[in-house]
Amino acid sequence: MNKLFSLVFILLAFPLYAQETRNLTLEEAVSLGLQASKTLLSDQARIEAATADYVAARNRQLPDFKLSGTGMALTNATVHMKMQSEQGEAGKAPKVNSALLANASVSYPLYTGGKTAYAVESARYLEQASRLQMENNKTAVAYNIAAAYNNLFKAGQALTVLTENLRASQQRDRQFLDFEKNAILARNDRLKASLQTSNIELQLLDAQNNYDLATVYMDLLLGLPETTRLTLDSAYISDSQELPGPAYFLDRALENRKDLQALNYSRQAAQTHIRSARAEALPTVMLTGGYIAAEVPNLVSVINAANIGLGVQYSLDNLWKKNSRLLQAQAKEKQLLSENDLLNDQIRLDINRDYLTVQTARKRTGVLQNMVDQADENYRITFNKYNNGLATMTELLDADAARIAAKINMLNARADAALAYKKLLQTTGIF
């Protein structure tokens, strides 16, 4: 059975060793993941759209200049001249079969009640909000990458521990087989040990499957080929930063949370929309100018027909119509104010929750380390008692299983404690 498992494991592992292997620290993983993130690519598109709106708003502050020209071929037009010749006779109608017209016009807004300036200001605020929202999403993406890195690390550690224990269990089976042949060990005790070895083999198969799946997921997050094998840096789980009080992280969050800053810009944009909506009741004054040229052969020629003037536009229906834009803008401001209060409360809750999680995770690591020491000592004592006939095979195997579980739990706890601290940093906005 052991030889068969070893052969299967070698066949399964062979393609993996033939694949590309890459060493990867947590910082490198985050950097690669941010570059490959499809979420951030979508955010970038939203920023470009907001920038385009800002450019469009600024364009409305610039003069409009239009040129037009028309050339027409006419049929045999009948032209009646309503003027008299110098001799008092009616003028002879000319033959007209073509016409050329040209027109140039320029207009510049002198006064719009502030609507144009408000549009520019609002678009600028919304562009800034889009950029800050992308920065906020970056911290979320970075944490997701760290979580995937952590899962892959734990899967690899479980695989390593189980592989080492399988090797030791197989060696013990060979010794017990010799003991059985020499009538030192009962057959049922040797079979109990072999059964535990088989259980470790099953656990190892599950661990290998989890590790392979975690590797594929990590490769996809980082934009790497799915067959890339990753060698992780275990140094990150020993990075135990000093933990100040929760008030420290709360103050940092209120200063650094990009979603909070983005919401503030959105509120400023809403306030600008209110001022712009109120300006709808004011008139618009435009400076206008133009130039007209016309050439109708045999009839008329017009050149140097320039003009300049002022245009005033005012919608009288503003006197009796309800300003719906103003109502919408005021409602939007109230909504954003409520969202701001909710977000502040959520930040306070998240900071305290994540802070307590870090504290608990670190305490848990200490407890589990003691359990590892205790499990090792228990196995040593039970092994000596078994050799002296004072403990059964079942007690020895239970002690060995407890030692394996304690090691895996301790490694997982250290990794989870490191990830919990990363989560606290992400909630604070400084990941």
Side-chain angles (χ1 to χ4, degrees):
M1 177 65 181
N2 292 339
K3 291 182 179 179
L4 177 60
F5 175 82
S6 300
L7 178 61
V8 172
F9 185 80
I10 291 174
L11 292 176
L12 289 173
F14 178 77
L16 304 182
Y17 295 130
Q19 295 162 350
E20 177 187 356
T21 301
R22 178 168 183 165
N23 295 325
L24 192 69
T25 65
L26 178 58
E27 290 73 18
E28 291 171 340
V30 170
S31 178
L32 285 173
L34 291 177
Q35 295 174 23
S37 172
K38 296 177 177 61
T39 299
L40 297 182
L41 289 176
S42 177
D43 288 341
Q44 183 60 44
R46 278 192 286 270
I47 290 176
E48 292 173 1
T51 302
D53 291 339
Y54 176 57
V55 171
R58 293 198 59 180
N59 285 342
R60 288 193 286 273
Q61 292 180 311
L62 302 176
D64 290 332
F65 183 73
K66 298 178 182 178
L67 288 174
S68 64
T70 304
M72 296 179 289
L74 305 177
T75 59
N76 294 326
T78 300
V79 180
H80 296 286
M81 303 297 294
K82 301 299 183 180
M83 59 184 179
Q84 297 284 329
S85 65
E86 292 181 357
Q87 290 76 19
E89 297 179 354
K92 184 180 180 180
K95 185 176 181 181
V96 178
N97 56 19
S98 64
L100 299 175
L101 303 174
N103 179 61
S105 64
V106 62
S107 63
Y108 179 73
L110 292 179
Y111 177 74
T112 61
K115 292 188 290 291
T116 305
Y118 293 146
V120 173
E121 185 179 4
S122 175
R124 180 169 61 85
Y125 286 144
L126 293 177
E127 181 192 23
Q128 289 296 326
S130 297
R131 294 185 184 278
L132 289 169
Q133 193 59 51
M134 179 178 179
E135 291 299 318
N136 182 67
N137 289 342
K138 275 186 179 180
T139 62
V141 170
Y143 173 73
N144 288 337
I145 295 168
Y149 190 96
N150 190 65
N151 287 337
L152 181 58
F153 175 79
K154 291 196 297 184
Q157 290 299 304
L159 194 63
T160 300
V161 171
L162 289 172
T163 300
E164 292 174 353
N165 280 277
L166 177 62
R167 188 180 301 113
S169 186
Q170 289 173 337
Q171 182 179 358
R172 183 181 60 203
D173 286 350
R174 288 190 291 269
Q175 292 176 344
F176 284 178
L177 183 60
D178 291 338
F179 290 163
E180 181 188 359
K181 290 179 179 178
N182 293 315
I184 300 175
L185 183 70
R187 179 177 175 79
N188 66 318
D189 286 342
R190 198 266 302 173
L191 290 175
K192 288 180 182 179
S194 297
L195 179 61
Q196 179 160 348
T197 301
S198 298
N199 287 330
I200 296 175
E201 290 174 358
L202 291 176
Q203 294 175 36
L204 187 58
L205 286 174
D206 290 337
Q208 182 68 56
N209 179 73
N210 293 336
Y211 178 77
D212 291 341
L213 185 59
T215 299
V216 171
Y217 180 64
M218 193 72 189
D219 286 338
L220 292 174
L221 276 181
L222 304 185
L224 300 174
E226 299 172 28
T227 55
T228 305
R229 313 307 295 179
L230 301 172
T231 302
L232 306 187
D233 182 10
S234 62
Y236 87 98
I237 68 170
S238 59
D239 184 17
S240 181
Q241 300 280 346
E242 182 182 355
L243 195 63
Y248 167 82
F249 292 101
L250 179 59
D251 291 341
R252 297 291 298 276
L254 296 178
E255 293 174 0
N256 294 282
R257 281 284 291 258
K258 302 304 180 184
D259 53 346
L260 194 60
Q261 296 174 18
L263 188 56
N264 183 55
Y265 274 110
S266 296
R267 288 174 58 199
Q268 294 183 62
Q271 293 167 0
T272 305
H273 285 158
I274 291 176
R275 294 195 293 270
S276 177
R278 286 174 176 157
E280 290 290 333
L282 300 176
T284 299
V285 180
M286 305 288 291
L287 175 65
T288 62
Y291 177 85
I292 299 173
E295 177 67 32
V296 182
N298 302 323
L299 180 63
V300 65
S301 178
V302 179
I303 59 174
N304 296 330
N307 64 85
I308 187 171
L310 289 176
V312 179
Q313 180 180 351
Y314 180 72
S315 298
L316 290 176
D317 56 2
N318 288 328
L319 298 175
W320 61 82
K321 284 185 177 179
K322 201 74 171 178
N323 193 334
S324 60
R325 280 194 59 204
L326 177 60
L327 296 176
Q328 291 172 351
Q330 290 173 335
K332 183 65 175 179
E333 184 188 30
K334 291 180 181 178
Q335 176 188 347
L336 291 173
L337 182 60
S338 298
E339 290 180 5
N340 183 76
D341 294 339
L342 287 172
L343 182 57
N344 274 278
D345 290 345
Q346 189 63 47
I347 288 173
R348 294 176 184 277
L349 176 61
D350 291 346
I351 289 293
N352 283 279
R353 179 200 62 203
D354 294 342
Y355 184 86
L356 293 173
T357 300
V358 174
Q359 275 191 325
T360 302
R362 291 185 175 183
K363 292 177 181 178
R364 179 180 172 82
T365 300
V367 172
L368 287 171
Q369 181 60 58
N370 290 334
M371 291 179 65
V372 170
D373 297 338
Q374 293 166 357
D376 287 340
E377 180 65 14
N378 178 61
Y379 178 77
R380 185 188 66 79
I381 293 173
T382 304
F383 184 77
N384 290 335
K385 290 174 67 177
Y386 176 79
N387 288 337
N388 290 290
L390 300 176
T392 64
M393 173 62 69
T394 301
E395 292 173 331
L396 177 63
L397 296 178
D398 288 344
D400 188 35
R403 183 178 60 165
I404 297 174
K407 286 182 179 179
I408 294 177
N409 289 338
M410 186 271 293
L411 290 170
N412 288 345
R414 291 182 63 190
D416 288 340
L419 183 63
Y421 186 72
K422 298 295 184 186
K423 177 60 177 174
L424 178 59
L425 295 182
Q426 187 247 331
T427 304
T428 307
I430 55 176
F431 185 84

